[in-house]
Structure formats: structure tokens, C-alpha cells
């Protein structure tokens, strides 16, 4: 989905296909367009909501989560983005999102011709 969104955003804004992805994904204050990257958005949202679900007092919901191995699925998602499980907090998830944006900025700024004046 991220690649399809990139293609359509570049098409709508009449940007060349060679436009760096960092321009799209970096925050507005860094000179980017602030388009959210679905890969980061989906995993962080799933983990945040999963943490909230597990902290419920509703015994029925807890039984459903246990029966569907929900915690194991959350653990796989957390490990796929290299975050610690089960002691994961929402602050760590937010920090992960910031690191991913900073990584996009770093990659964009290291491009030989297109990243010259990013900083």
C-alpha cells in the first residue's frame, strides 16, 4: 500500500517518479509533506490498541483475547519492529515512530544530489 500511495501522491502533485521518498514521509517542519507511512502507522496503532485491550477489566473480553492468542500476535508485531514485549509502553511506540521519521530524513539527506540541502 505504501508504494501505491507514493505513486498516487507523486502523480497528484505532479512530482517526478524520482522524487525521494523522504520528501513524502518526513514531517512538515523538516521540509517534507508529512504523509504517514502505513507500515509504521499500522504496527504502532495495533500495538497501542492491543495494550489498551489487555488492560481491560472485562472478563469476557480477556477470555476472548486469551482464546484467540491475541498476546502472541501482538508479540510478533512488536518483535517485527524490534520493540520489547511484554514490557512495551505507548511511549516506546511513540519513540519508535519518531525514530522512523528521523531515519527517513537521514536517508533523504544522504542522497548525493537530492539530499544536498535537506538539513
Amino acid at each position: 500500500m505504501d508504494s501505491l500511495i507514493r505513486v498516487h501522491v507523486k502523480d497528484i502533485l505532479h512530482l517526478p517518479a524520482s522524487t525521494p521518498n523522504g520528501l513524502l514521509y518526513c514531517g512538515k517542519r523538516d521540509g517534507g509533506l508529512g504523509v504517514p507511512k502505513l507500515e509504521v502507522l499500522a504496527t504502532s496503532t495495533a500495538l497501542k490498541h492491543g495494550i489498551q485491550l489487555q488492560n481491560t477489566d472485562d472478563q469476557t473480553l480477556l477470555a476472548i483475547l486469551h482464546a484467540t492468542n491475541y498476546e502472541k500476535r501482538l508479540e510478533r508485531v512488536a518483535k517485527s519492529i524490534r520493540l520489547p514485549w511484554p514490557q512495551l509502553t505507548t511511549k516506546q511506540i511513540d519513540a519508535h515512530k519518531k525514530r522512523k521519521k528521523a531515519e527517513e530524513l537521514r536517508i533523504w539527506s544522504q542522497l548525493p544530489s537530492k539530499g544536498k540541502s535537506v538539513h
Side-chain angles (χ1 to χ4, degrees):
M1 288 300 292
D2 279 326
S3 62
L4 288 173
I5 290 171
R6 277 195 306 269
V7 169
H8 288 295
V9 167
K10 289 177 184 181
D11 186 43
I12 290 168
L13 297 176
H14 305 289
L15 298 171
S18 61
T19 302
N21 295 339
L23 174 69
L24 302 177
Y25 295 131
C26 287
K28 293 176 185 172
R29 68 184 246 216
D30 292 324
L33 297 175
V35 176
K37 194 168 188 176
L38 290 183
E39 176 186 2
V40 176
L41 186 64
T43 54
S44 61
T45 302
L47 288 172
K48 279 184 172 183
H49 287 279
I51 290 170
Q52 289 175 345
L53 273 175
Q54 288 188 317
N55 290 332
T56 186
D57 293 333
D58 185 355
Q59 294 302 316
T60 307
L61 182 57
L62 288 173
I64 292 170
L65 294 177
H66 180 69
T68 59
N69 290 322
Y70 191 70
E71 185 170 358
K72 289 285 184 196
R73 290 189 282 168
L74 289 176
E75 181 180 5
R76 278 197 308 269
V77 172
K79 285 185 177 183
S80 74
I81 59 174
R82 297 189 176 117
L83 290 177
W85 188 264
Q87 61 272 14
L88 185 62
T89 65
T90 56
K91 287 182 181 181
Q92 289 171 313
I93 297 168
D94 291 337
H96 168 73
K97 288 170 62 175
K98 286 181 183 177
R99 279 193 307 274
K100 292 306 260 184
K101 278 195 177 200
E103 184 179 325
E104 286 291 341
L105 181 64
R106 182 185 55 78
I107 291 169
W108 181 22
S109 68
Q110 289 178 347
L111 293 173
S113 62
K114 297 174 184 165
K116 269 187 177 176
S117 59
V118 170
H119 287 292

